Structure formats: C-alpha cells, structure tokens
Amino acid sequence: MNHELMDERLARKLCILADAAKYDASCASSGAPKRAADAQGLGSTAHGICHAYTPDGRCVSLLKILLTNYCLYDCAYCVNRRSSNVRRARFSVEEVVELTIAFYKRNYIEGLFLSSGIIRSPDHTMEQLIQVARTLRRDRGFRGYIHLKTIPDASPWLIEQAGLWADRLSINIELSTEASLRKLAPDKNSAAIDAAMSQIRDRISEAKAERRSFSPAGQSTQVIIGADEATDEAVLRRTGRLYDEFGLKRVYYSAFSPIPAASAQLPLKAPPLTRENRLYQADWLLRFYGFSVDEIMAGGADGMLDLEVDPKLAWALKNRHRFPVDVNRADREMLLRVPGLGKRAVDKIIQARRHRTLSLDDLARLTTGLKRGRPFLVAAGHRPTRLLDRLDLRQSLVEPARQLRLL
Ligand code: SF4
C-alpha cells in the first residue's frame, strides 16, 4: 500500500468500501483498474478507481466508493444488506474528502462516485454524502466530476442540496416492479423513488431555464436483471417511463450475479450476459432509433427479447413486408430501422447520396454493418427481394458461418 497517500487503517477501509461499490453500474463504470496504472505507484492504490463515461462521451477515471457498507436495509440482492455477513467499514466525511483530493492532485482520478448504505436514517446518510460534496467544492475548490447516489427516502430539501454540488445524481430503482420491490427490498417503495426522480427532473429543468447549475449531467439509474421474475418487457416498460416521465439520461442494466451467503429468495444462477446486452440494445432503440416498447416486444416469446439476434434485426425479420428499404430514397426514420445501419452510418448515407446514387460498394465504405443490412436494402445494382422470402434468412444471420450467398 502506498504510505505516502494513506495509512494502513485507511487503506483497509478503502479496500472494503471500493469492493462494496463494485456492484453499482449506474456510473457506467467498468470496474477496471485505472489506465496505465503502474505497479509502483498507482498499482498499489488502484482500489476503487474505475472508468466511467461522462454525458459528452469522455472516458474519465473515478474514485468509486461507498461512504459505508453498514446498512439498515435488507435488500435480498445486496451484499451489504443488514443480514449479510460481510466485513464492514465506514469512512468519515473528512477521510473521503482527503482521499479524493489526494488522488485528484496526483491525476489518478478525474472525479468521485460516492454511494452509501443507509446508516441511522436516510436523512442522516444523505447529509453525510452532501457534506462530502459540499466540502470538496466549497472548501477545497474541487473542480472534478462528482456523482452522488441519492436516497429516495431522504427529505426533498436534502435532494435539493445534493443537486447543487453534484454533476450527476442517481437513484437506483434496482427492481422494475412494485411486487419485486416488496418481495426483495421491503424497505423501499417505488412511489418514493418516483417522487424523488420527479423532484430532480423539475429542479434540473428549472435550473436550466434560470441558467443555474443543478445536477448538470442529469440523473441516471440502475436496474438489476435476473434477480426477480420481471420479463424484459416489464423492464423496458419501466425504462420507457423513466425516460419519458423523468427525463433520465441513462438506465444501466446490471445482470444479477450470485453474492456470497445469498438470500434463499434469489436464483442460484446469474442470467445469461447476453440478456443484459440485448436490453442495452433495446434501450438504444428506444432512445435513438424511434422504436416503441410495443414494436420491440411484438411477437416475442414470454415477454423476453430474442437472445440469438439483436432487437433491431429481430424486428426486421418479423416485419419483412417493410423491406427492402431504398438507401437512395428512404427517409432517415426508415433507414435507422435497417439492421446493421447505425446512426452515424445513416447520417453519412444521407450526406453521400446528395452527390451520387449509392451502390453496395459505396455503402461498404460508409458502414461495417453491411453484411446484416444487405438483405434489407436496395442500392444501385442491388435488389434483394427474393432473399427476404428465404426461410433460412434468420438462421443465416444468426450464424455467420452459414451465410447465404447474398448477391
Ligand atoms: S439500501 Fe439496500 S441496496 Fe442499498 S446498501 Fe442497503 S441493502 Fe444494499
């Protein structure tokens, strides 16, 4: 451990409280050690340093820790729940401030992600989190990124305070249905979560209108997948509401992973990771590609996304009558529905077709997704009508080794 930065007692706490924070995906952290960590310096202090993406797409290193992993609540899926037998630790406000400043000054981090178990009361816990952020900003002139976990049961006044000092606030909904919350997180309720999210939404939009700063990077949340029986459809319907009603910047999906000494109410196995990926892809379709949950889920078996093919391809295969799409004439909305064509590729196509009629070769220069898109599009010299009728089209796209001859 690097004694220059901290004593052993503090280093032990950091170990416990960084490890305890790793289950939270709501800052888009990979949990990976810091870039270019060297064995001598950073390697020995890399506990808790993770990568995250800011809303403008920059990759930043954050110190990702809990203030404490003691908790009054007993959420069945959480390793820090009251009844869990884990090692516990608690930082003081000053300790978190000093660690953050020390790491920041040495360029180990560009910001702080701070969450906490609930100690004494939601208000007391929230006050401590705010005190860290306020001390960093006001007393220590900290200009790095701050992401604060917000406790929905805390009083509205405290949530107001949090937004004054943090760049981003997040409240984890964790489970997408009220029934699952009652069963697995009996101390939480979705009405309190919704109320806190709508308060944050209102403050953010007021602050924007008045050109003030209040959680300028918005709010986000995390949903755990596979700890309860919620289908993908139920998860996506909740997600759709979060984007529409509360203006969330991001919903993060975290596949449940069995925890030590898990509650008997939980499944023994983690869901396939592909399920998490498919939900991220569906989420992308909701936010950027103009799809509705009804469209994404139409014809799906048991309310679950297709694990074999991505949701956009699954939709195209079920709606073959909408294809092929002429890349030289179709509007942007329809081009975005062609499998393999991402937003950037569509923009390039629209730009390029102003100057010439596009062929498959032209498209190959504009996108890497042409193989998947080819059966669904028309280009100069290419009209794949018969391909769309082939019964083995889906299979050919699932298994690249068995590609059809698509020309
Ligand atoms: S409130 Fe629930 S999820 Fe959060 S730390 Fe406590 S037990 Fe874990």
Side-chain angles (χ1 to χ4, degrees), residues 40-98:
Q40 282 262 300
L42 252 188
S44 57
T45 57
H47 268 302
I49 298 179
C50 68
H51 294 156
Y53 289 91
T54 57
D56 60 5
R58 275 182 317 120
C59 180
V60 292
S61 305
L62 300 180
L63 174 62
K64 181 180 176 184
I65 48 174
L66 300 190
L67 187 66
T68 178
N69 64 341
Y70 286 101
C71 192
L72 292 171
Y73 289 10
D74 207 35
C75 309
Y77 48 80
C78 178
V79 73
N80 303 315
R81 69 191 187 280
R82 187 178 64 229
S83 57
S84 165
N85 192 20
V86 287
R87 279 192 308 160
R88 307 276 176 175
R90 179 175 172 177
F91 279 130
S92 66
V93 167
E94 294 71 31
E95 284 170 334
V96 177
V97 168
E98 291 310 324

Side-chain angles (χ1 to χ4, degrees), residues 308-309 313-321 323-324 339 370-377 382 384-400 402-407:
E308 282 190 335
V309 293
L313 179 55
W315 180 84
L317 287 165
K318 280 185 235 140
N319 291 278
R320 297 185 197 194
H321 60 283
F323 296 95
L370 187 56
K371 217 177 225 178
R372 251 177 318 149
R374 201 151 54 168
F376 299 95
L377 56 84
H382 172 73
T385 325
R386 277 175 300 123
L387 282 172
L388 280 171
D389 297 331
R390 288 181 67 157
L391 293 175
D392 58 349
L393 177 60
R394 174 193 162 92
Q395 203 51 33
S396 74
L397 294 166
V398 172
E399 296 174 46
R402 292 184 50 205
Q403 290 292 324
L404 294 171
R405 269 178 278 131
L406 293 173
L407 283 173

